[in-house]
Amino acid sequence: MSIVTPGILPASVLLQQKRPDWLTEWGRFAAAFSAADLPPEALQRARLVLLDSIAVIAAGMQEPELSSLLAQANYAGGGSAVAIGAGRALPPLLAAFANGTAGTMLELDEGNQYARGHPAIHVVPAALAAAPRDGAALLGAIALGYELGARIGIASKLRVTMHPHGTWGTPAAFLSVAHLRGAAAETMIQGLNIASSFGLSTSRRTMLEGATVRNSYAGFSNQLGLMAWDLVQSGFTGETDGIGAVYGGIIAEDFSQSAMTEDLGTRWEIARNYFKRHAACRYTHGALDALAELRQRLPDLAPEQIERIEVDTYVWAAQLDLPAPSNMLSAKFSIPFALATTLLHGSASVPAFRPPALQDEAVRALAARVVVREDAALTARLPGLRPARVALILRDGTRHQAEVLTNRGDTEDPYTEDDILQKFRELAEPVWGAAHAAALIQAVRGVDRTGGLDALTPLLAAPPRSLAR
C-alpha cells in the first residue's frame, strides 16, 4: 500500500468494495412492488397520509413566504404540476419544491418516531409532480418511498448537529418517482446511489433559531428526487454503495445494513407513522400532552395562579428550552413558549404561534417561568417512547404533576381516523371552504378506484378562496 497517512486508503483498495446485498435486495423488491402488495392497514394509512399531506401543504401555501416565492419570475411560466392551495400549475421541479416547502411551514406534517423524521412530506410532493398514472400507483409510490426513507433513518444515526429534513428524504423521493416510471431494479439501484449524494448540509440550529430556510429542506428533497430520476435516465451513475457511504460515515454513522431489509414487505413503516395535532415540534408534544392532563384535573386553573412550570424530559426535547423565541418557527421549537401559549390560548393551534401570540406579554411572562431539564432515565427510553413529566407549582404552594410516556398520535396511542379528518377540515376549510374540503375527503378515500385520480387532481388545482373572490 502506497499511503502511510492513517485513515486514507488508496483507490486500488477502496474500490474493491462490492455492491451490498441489501441494496440488491431492495432493487429487486422495489421493481417488483405494486400497491396490491400492501396489507390493508398500510394501504389505508397511505390514504390518510396523502389526505393529511394535502391539508398541511394547502394551509402552508397561504403563508407569506410561499406567496412571495410563487410571485418570483422563475415561477411565472406555468407547467403541468399543481402547487396545492395556490391555484397554480408549475413545472414539476418547482411544484415539488413549493409543495414540499409549504408542507413544513406550520410544523403539522406527519412523521415516524423510529426514523426520527418526517418521511411523507419528502415523498408526496415528488410523487404528485411525477404525474402518476392512477391513484393506486400514487399510493404505492408514497408507501414505497416512505419505506425506504424511514428505513435509512432507522438504520443510521444522523450527526447530532444535523436536521433530519432534506437528508434521507431525497433517495425516498427518487424511489417514489422511479416506481411511477416503472423502473427496472438496476435503474432503481443506480438512482438511489445518485440520490444519496443529494442530501443537504442541514443545520439543526435553524429550527432553534427560527431560520426559515429550514422549511425549504423537504422542498429540496422532492425536487432533487425528480432530478435524480432525470440523471439516471441520462446515463449518470452513482458510487457502488452511495447510501452506505453517506449514511455510514459522512452525514451519519453506524449504518445498519440489516435494518434495511428486516421484515421487508411485511412490516410497513407507513403503518407505524404518527399524525400531529399540536402545531409545534414533535419534541414538545409529550409536555403538551402532560399539560392537557393537568388542565383536565384543574379545570378552573388560571395562568396567573402559576408560580412556575417544571418539565423533565428526554434530551432532544430538553434542548427546546428557549423562553423568548424570535418568530413563529422558533416558537414551535420552544417548550416554554408552547406550554405558555397553550395555557393562554387554549390549545397549541396554528394561531397560538403567530405574531400576536408571540407579542403577548402574558404569554412571554409565563414562558419565562418554565424550567426544562433532561432526565437521563427518560432519554434512555428513546426511540420507542417520548416521555415527559410536567409539574405546575402554584402560588398557593401546591404542586400538581403529570407524566406521559408517549405522544398522542404515536403508534402506542394513535389518533382515530375521525381525529385526522377533523384536523384536515381545520386546515383545508379556510383555504377552500367546507364543501371543497368534503369533496377532497371523498376523492382521497376513492383515489385508488378506477378514475379516482382524475377526480382528485382538479380539486387539488382549485384556487384558494382568497383568490377566487
Side-chain angles (χ1 to χ4, degrees):
M1 189 167 68
S2 60
I3 294 178
V4 296
T5 300
I8 306 299
L9 297 176
S12 58
V13 175
L14 187 65
L15 299 187
Q16 291 180 15
Q17 177 190 19
K18 305 298 183 184
R19 177 181 292 171
D21 291 342
W22 78 262
L23 188 53
T24 300
E25 183 176 346
W26 249 99
R28 292 170 178 164
F29 170 75
F33 169 79
S34 76
D37 298 327
L38 290 170
E41 64 273 15
L43 183 63
Q44 173 59 7
R45 192 61 64 92
R47 292 191 194 97
L48 290 176
V49 163
L50 173 60
L51 185 71
D52 188 74
S53 298
I54 289 168
V56 299
I57 292 169
M61 198 68 75
Q62 312 313 306
E63 293 299 295
E65 295 92 338
L66 267 297
S67 298
S68 295
L69 179 68
L70 267 59
Q72 300 300 315
N74 285 336
Y75 291 79
S80 61
V82 171
I84 299 171
R88 293 274 305 280
L90 298 171
L93 290 177
L94 295 182
F97 176 78
N99 287 331
T101 301
T104 60
M105 291 293 290
L106 299 177
E107 194 57 30
L108 278 165
D109 48 309
E110 68 83 62
N112 183 291
Q113 69 201 70
Y114 306 100
R116 299 176 293 274
H118 301 253
I121 202 57
H122 291 82
V123 300
V124 171
L128 289 170
R133 59 189 178 273
D134 57 55
L138 173 63
L139 294 181
I142 291 170
L144 186 66
Y146 192 112
E147 187 69 19
L148 178 87
R151 282 180 178 261
I152 297 173
I154 292 167
S156 61
K157 185 178 181 181
L158 282 177
R159 299 192 183 279
V160 296
T161 52
M162 293 196 70
H163 194 295
H165 284 15
T167 56
W168 42 255
T170 304
F174 163 78
L175 195 63
S176 290
V177 175
H179 172 70
L180 291 171
R181 298 286 189 261
E186 186 61 28
T187 301
M188 289 184 168
I189 290 169
Q190 280 291 349
L192 289 174
N193 282 330
I194 290 172
S196 68
S197 293
F198 291 168
L200 303 180
S201 56
T202 61
S203 171
R204 190 180 189 86
R205 179 169 168 157
T206 55
M207 69 185 194
L208 304 174
E209 188 176 318
T212 53
V213 64
R214 170 262 182 195
N215 293 331
S216 71
Y217 295 164
F220 279 114
S221 274
N222 285 279
Q223 185 180 71
L224 291 168
L226 288 163
M227 292 181 70
W229 171 257
D230 290 342
L231 289 176
V232 74
Q233 287 296 102
S234 302
F236 286 79
T237 60
E239 61 183 285
T240 301
D241 180 16
I243 290 177
V246 170
Y247 295 96
I250 299 176
I251 67 174
E253 299 171 346
D254 301 327
F255 185 75
S256 170
Q257 294 189 11
S258 63
M260 294 302 299
T261 56
E262 181 183 11
D263 298 325
L264 184 62
T266 57
R267 186 196 78 216
W268 286 91
E269 288 303 319
I270 201 167
R272 297 204 298 172
N273 84 319
Y274 63 75
F275 293 100
K276 296 175 69 174
R277 294 301 311 269
H278 304 308
C281 172
R282 189 65 170 170
Y283 298 154
T284 70
H285 288 211
L288 287 167
D289 291 342
L291 178 65
E293 286 192 19
L294 290 169
R295 292 173 69 202
Q296 285 185 336
R297 291 187 220 159
L298 305 167
D300 299 323
L301 177 69
E304 57 270 19
Q305 295 175 268
I306 299 172
E307 176 69 28
R308 70 182 184 278
I309 303 174
E310 297 177 354
V311 180
D312 293 282
T313 185
Y314 55 95
V315 57
W316 303 120
Q319 188 180 35
L320 310 186
D321 70 339
L322 189 68
S326 60
N327 64 3
M328 183 173 77
L329 179 60
S330 60
K332 291 173 178 290
F333 287 83
S334 164
I335 284 179
F337 186 87
L339 294 178
T341 197
T342 297
L343 282 164
L344 270 295
H345 294 100
S347 66
S349 62
V350 172
F353 295 89
R354 291 204 182 278
L358 277 166
Q359 297 156 12
D360 188 323
E361 289 301 325
V363 174
R364 297 181 77 84
L366 182 55
R369 304 198 298 273
V370 179
V371 177
V372 183
R373 302 176 294 230
E374 180 190 1
D375 183 327
L378 300 185
T379 297
R381 309 192 78 166
L382 296 174
L385 300 178
R386 292 285 192 272
R389 187 166 54 248
V390 174
L392 300 180
I393 295 87
L394 305 187
R395 297 190 187 279
D396 64 7
T398 59
R399 179 186 179 93
H400 305 271
Q401 182 171 297
E403 182 174 6
V404 299
L405 295 178
T406 62
N407 299 328
R408 283 295 319 279
D410 280 357
T411 305
E412 298 82 5
D413 188 15
Y415 286 120
T416 67
E417 183 172 335
D418 285 343
D419 291 326
I420 298 163
L421 293 177
Q422 179 60 30
K423 173 191 172 183
F424 178 86
R425 296 185 188 99
E426 290 170 1
L427 294 176
E429 289 182 3
V431 178
W432 289 300
H436 196 92
L440 275 165
I441 291 171
Q442 291 306 115
V444 172
R445 280 175 169 164
V447 69
D448 48 332
R449 300 175 191 149
T450 302
L453 188 61
D454 293 334
L456 175 63
T457 302
L459 295 172
L460 298 180
R465 293 196 298 179
S466 60
L467 295 180
R469 294 189 183 112

